Amino acid sequence: MSHIVQIQTEVRDLVAVRAACERLKLPSPVIGSHRLYQGTVIGLGVELPGWRYRVVCDLVNGQLRYDNFGGRWGEQVHLDRFLQGYAVERTKIEARKKGHTVTEQSLEDGSVKLTVNVGGGV
């Protein structure tokens, strides 16, 4: 049986953020105070390639704070890849907690297909 799921990503899981950073070969995320163009925010800072400021994850409300000045200070594609990596890692963590197995397939268009085998079966 196949199901297609659309996911609205909220970033709340420290372990999944770390796994997403490792997956994308990004520096380890840093908890603390981070400077953005207009002010400072506290949270989990993720350093994306070519971005002037870190993306800051508020793990309590799941929201991101960042300033890429409409793409001039950081390409959106890097944030999209991070969110995709986070969603993949978070899904794998939750599936494994429930005893399911997960297989991952990278598709030509850059998307990722995850197949969750309920109960570890196929």
Side-chain angles (χ1 to χ4, degrees), residues 10-118:
E10 292 183 359
V11 178
R12 296 178 184 265
D13 185 321
L14 175 61
V15 174
V17 170
R18 287 182 175 150
C21 289
E22 285 182 27
R23 171 190 191 93
L24 297 170
K25 300 184 181 356
L26 300 174
S28 295
V30 177
I31 296 174
S33 178
H34 304 279
R35 185 176 70 87
L36 298 180
Y37 179 72
Q38 289 186 326
T40 301
V41 294
I42 296 173
L44 181 64
V46 174
E47 191 175 327
L48 298 177
W51 279 54
R52 183 175 292 184
Y53 302 104
R54 287 184 172 147
V55 172
V56 182
C57 310
D58 183 332
L59 299 179
V60 175
N61 67 21
Q63 301 301 304
L64 300 178
R65 301 279 307 268
Y66 62 91
D67 191 348
N68 71 344
F69 193 34
R72 293 180 188 97
W73 295 343
E75 293 180 50
Q76 181 68 33
V77 67
H78 296 295
L79 179 58
D80 295 344
R81 284 186 190 130
F82 167 72
L83 290 173
Q84 179 189 53
Y86 173 82
V88 166
E89 295 300 330
R90 179 79 173 118
T91 301
K92 289 165 57 176
I93 289 168
E94 285 304 311
R96 289 180 181 139
K97 280 183 187 174
K98 295 178 180 175
H100 307 316
T101 59
V102 181
T103 55
E104 180 178 337
Q105 179 183 4
S106 297
L107 303 179
E108 286 185 28
D109 65 359
S111 62
V112 176
K113 178 181 177 182
L114 290 178
T115 303
V116 179
N117 299 306
V118 177

